[in-house]
Amino acid sequence: MNKIFAVIRREFIERVRTKAFIIGTLLVPVLWIGFGLLPRLLLERETGAQRLIVLDRTQGGAGGRVATALAAVKAGEGDATQFVVERVAVGSDWEAVRDSLRRLIGLSNAPASAPHGILILDELSIDSGKASYLGSNVASPRITTAIERAIGPALLAIRLERKQLDSSVVAAAMIRLSLETRRVNEGRVTGESGEQTFLLAYFIDMLMYFALLFYGIQVSSAVMEEKTNRIVEILVSSLRPFDLLMGKVIGVGAAGLLQMGIWLGAGLFVSMMLSRPGVGGAAPTGFQLPAVSVALVAIILICFLLGFFFYASMYAAVGSMCNTQQEAQQTATPITMLVVAGMILMFGLVNDPNSTLARVVTFIPFFTALVLPVRYALSPLPLPEVLGGILALILGILGVVWLAGRIYRVGILSYGKKPSLRELWRWVRTA
């Protein structure tokens, strides 16, 4: 037992003391918040006024009302307008006017007075609500959405007036429904919306996927490095191969568990701070992290630890039977695909986390570590189901560790050609 602890201590210290581990542990929580908040801040930042030209092909000058509606759009909370609009009434030669204006758009050396876009309105725009926009930047959802929201009501009012209907009465009857979602947990309404619950489940799914693959591949690389350097021949002279396998898996797993604990602890602290009254609402963009309960953190850590043992044992067996990184990557492809399949299953759980499919895959050890935390984040689970999933994963670990240990015992001292499936089965029977 002391020899196993020596291997665990070596594997743990070798990883924890590296600069990459320290920087990654401190930097990842900052990056998570930054990548979640920064894109929204950048998309919502104030931009310069967009110069638009409205080509009016309608009868009765309906384009004038559309131009007025566009000019009234504000760029932000201040008084600055988002669009500087010029209306141009055109007749049968509208295509020539359009082409002449189009040549001024998107120029690398365009003058300050050059238009950014052309909005083309005709009778079809009023009848069917379809308009055409030619612009240098049509990828910006902020610009296109602002145009749609501005001209939609204006065209609707014109359409109603032509049918001799009171636009104010119709507008009052056409108030758009805004569905406010709040999660209910154990009969209590939480502060999480539907979007926040989905983001929490997606975050957990990606975290488990990344952690299982990253630390599992670390185990495989460590085993293969010692094998190719012939260090393992010295180690097995004083250690049983199974003890060496367990020492490596537990050592790397302890380092990963420490890092995961720090990440989740930081996320839990930030989530609790933002959920306090007067804190979450103070964010200028309305951004708020979803609430993370202590029970969910515990389930994530337990599933990570057990899932790591499950997959790391298989990755260690792969590393012991291969001689190059290329061989290891090819051989580990089925294991990687199982992790990917578990990650993809998350999208089948969102609509119904308590479906038959969700319950079945929870008790399949290949998927338990990824499915169980996601299900718990989406909807409360009964304690027997949580314990049953954990028990199924433990039983799977026992089987995988037994199989991987027998392959590892022979593989670490085997060199040359990668073994075939028949040879692997011989190793398992004779080890």
Side-chain angles (χ1 to χ4, degrees):
M1 186 63 67
N2 291 333
K3 295 179 180 180
I4 296 180
F5 282 126
V7 178
I8 294 173
R9 180 177 179 276
R10 175 184 176 275
E11 295 293 333
F12 179 80
I13 294 177
E14 282 293 322
R15 280 155 180 80
V16 171
R17 68 191 303 180
T18 61
K19 293 182 179 179
F21 182 91
I22 298 174
I23 294 175
T25 302
L26 299 177
L27 192 60
V28 166
V30 178
L31 292 178
W32 284 342
I33 298 175
F35 287 149
L37 185 59
L38 185 59
R40 183 167 183 173
L41 291 176
L42 292 176
L43 283 174
E44 294 182 355
R45 77 189 194 282
E46 294 189 10
T47 57
Q50 299 287 308
R51 300 182 61 85
L52 298 184
I53 295 180
V54 177
L55 286 187
D56 187 8
R57 299 180 57 207
T58 63
Q59 299 176 2
R65 296 176 61 174
V66 171
T68 303
L70 286 171
V73 177
K74 301 298 182 181
E77 297 181 356
D79 297 330
T81 58
Q82 185 167 353
F83 300 111
V84 176
V85 187
E86 178 184 354
R87 172 178 170 265
V88 177
V90 291
S92 58
D93 60 342
W94 71 273
E95 292 181 343
V97 177
R98 179 200 61 188
D99 293 340
S100 63
L101 292 173
R102 186 187 60 197
R103 297 187 183 96
L104 302 176
I105 298 176
L107 300 177
S108 57
N109 56 348
S113 59
H116 294 95
I118 305 172
L119 180 64
I120 304 173
L121 297 176
D122 54 16
E123 290 299 312
L124 184 63
S125 303
I126 299 176
D127 296 335
S128 64
K130 296 181 179 179
S132 177
Y133 175 71
L134 307 177
S136 58
N137 184 11
V138 294
S140 171
R142 181 177 183 180
I143 295 175
T144 55
T145 302
I147 293 176
E148 291 177 349
R149 290 180 178 176
I151 69 176
L155 293 178
L156 175 62
I158 297 172
R159 191 182 307 123
L160 293 174
E161 290 175 2
R162 290 186 176 184
K163 297 183 180 295
Q164 298 181 350
L165 296 174
D166 190 342
S167 60
S168 61
V169 175
V170 175
M174 293 180 62
I175 297 177
R176 184 177 179 181
L177 173 66
S178 178
L179 185 63
E180 182 181 5
T181 59
R182 286 291 181 266
R183 186 187 179 199
V184 178
N185 189 4
E186 300 293 341
R188 295 175 299 173
V189 179
T190 68
E192 300 175 34
S193 65
E195 180 184 9
Q196 289 173 331
T197 303
F198 173 80
L199 289 177
L200 176 61
Y202 183 77
F203 166 77
I204 293 173
D205 192 49
M206 294 304 298
L207 177 65
M208 296 297 294
Y209 166 75
F210 167 78
L212 292 178
L213 280 185
F214 179 74
Y215 295 113
I217 292 173
Q218 276 195 359
V219 172
S220 177
S221 300
V223 170
M224 193 168 56
E225 181 181 0
E226 291 183 351
K227 177 182 176 179
T228 55
N229 293 337
R230 302 299 179 97
I231 299 176
V232 70
E233 297 177 3
I234 302 174
L235 294 176
V236 295
S237 63
S238 58
L239 278 171
R240 292 187 305 167
F242 185 79
D243 294 342
L244 182 59
L245 171 65
M246 286 294 96
K248 284 188 171 296
V249 172
I250 296 174
V252 177
L257 187 63
L258 174 63
Q259 196 169 50
M260 288 274 291
I262 293 174
W263 290 347
L264 291 175
L268 179 61
F269 174 76
V270 174
S271 177
M272 292 174 60
M273 292 298 296
L274 291 178
S275 62
R276 290 171 56 188
V279 177
T285 60
F287 177 81
Q288 185 176 356
L289 291 177
V292 181
S293 64
V294 177
L296 179 58
V297 172
I299 289 178
I300 293 173
L301 293 178
I302 292 173
C303 287
F304 164 74
L305 184 60
L306 297 178
F308 172 79
F309 269 100
F310 185 82
Y311 281 102
S313 300
M314 291 190 283
Y315 275 110
V318 168
S320 68
M321 70 176 71
C322 298
N323 300 289
T324 64
Q325 287 288 350
Q326 185 177 2
E327 284 185 2
Q329 290 175 1
Q330 294 174 351
T331 307
T333 298
I335 304 174
T336 304
M337 294 306 298
L338 287 173
V339 181
V340 173
M343 184 266 292
I344 294 176
L345 280 173
M346 176 261 183
F347 297 96
L349 305 178
V350 172
N351 292 330
D352 190 358
N354 294 311
S355 63
T356 303
L357 172 65
R359 288 191 171 95
V360 169
V361 296
T362 300
F363 297 102
I364 299 177
F366 293 103
F367 309 126
T368 303
L370 291 113
V371 170
L372 184 59
V374 172
R375 288 189 61 200
Y376 196 89
L378 291 171
S379 176
L381 297 179
L383 182 61
E385 194 165 340
V386 175
L387 297 178
I390 294 175
L391 178 61
L393 185 54
I394 292 175
L395 295 176
I397 290 172
L398 295 177
V400 168
V401 168
W402 176 84
L403 183 65
R406 300 180 78 86
I407 295 175
Y408 184 87
R409 186 177 304 172
V410 179
I412 55 174
L413 297 176
S414 300
Y415 301 94
K417 187 182 70 172
K418 185 177 66 174
S420 62
L421 291 177
R422 180 176 297 180
E423 290 172 329
L424 285 178
W425 176 242
R426 190 183 305 120
W427 290 2
V428 172
R429 289 189 306 167
T430 58

